[in-house]
Amino acid sequence: MLPAAARLTRSQEFRLVVRRGRRAGRVRLVVHALRPDQERDSGSQRTVLLDAEADTAPTRTESIRVGFVVSKSVGTAVVRHRVTRRLRHLMRDRLPALTAGTLVVVRALPQAADASSRELGADLDAALRKLRVVDPGGPATGSR
């Protein structure tokens, strides 16, 4: 399970990352990421979002936060929840390797329904590397 401080929960946050961040697509998923150094145009909007939550979490600006989008096209509710649990577990293991302050949205595609955790992990690693959100000095990503 992801810690509460590491979750994107508001629709405005998801919208910000998807619209202003960079995107890397793979066969089973699409990863959107907004790094702190990419905030040229979106900085003011993100600041407003973070200031609204400043009372609950003063270190929000440095935290890595992740959200998941698994639509009905992936499958039934049981399948969607299984895919979400797998992605959540995979991202939890990768949080320490990501650049501080990064916001990430992982969108599952229909092929994710039949994928193993290993395949989802490989797609996730490839997308994160392509987006250059993996901290070079941080721990290595991947399954244990």
Side-chain angles (χ1 to χ4, degrees):
M1 186 75 137
L2 282 174
R7 296 183 206 147
L8 287 178
T9 56
R10 303 168 77 202
S11 61
Q12 296 94 339
E13 296 169 328
F14 279 85
R15 196 173 317 122
L16 174 69
V17 176
V18 171
R19 289 186 180 171
R20 306 279 187 190
R22 295 183 63 214
R23 176 182 67 206
R26 294 290 174 249
V27 174
R28 298 167 192 90
L29 50 88
V30 176
V31 178
H32 301 267
L34 181 63
R35 294 187 328 214
D37 59 347
Q38 293 175 327
E39 296 183 39
R40 284 175 258 127
D41 299 327
S42 61
S44 60
Q45 185 178 359
R46 182 174 180 191
T47 303
V48 169
L49 287 172
L50 297 174
D51 286 346
E53 299 175 349
D55 297 333
T56 58
T59 60
R60 279 281 208 228
T61 56
E62 292 303 315
S63 67
I64 300 161
R65 301 178 48 215
V66 182
F68 302 95
V69 177
V70 184
S71 71
K72 287 185 178 182
S73 66
V74 174
T76 64
V78 172
V79 173
R80 292 194 309 268
H81 284 89
R82 181 176 357 150
V83 169
T84 304
R85 282 192 307 271
R86 286 181 177 170
L87 291 172
R88 200 168 40 225
H89 178 76
L90 292 166
M91 278 306 297
R92 182 191 66 194
D93 292 342
R94 287 156 177 79
L95 283 179
L98 298 179
T99 306
T102 302
L103 302 178
V104 178
V105 172
V106 179
R107 183 167 47 96
L109 298 175
Q111 293 85 350
D114 299 324
S116 68
S117 292
R118 183 175 300 254
E119 292 169 332
L120 288 173
D123 282 351
L124 197 55
D125 287 337
L128 292 172
R129 276 193 307 273
K130 182 175 180 183
L131 292 170
R132 296 187 194 117
V133 295
V134 178
D135 187 8
T141 60
S143 56
R144 296 182 249 182

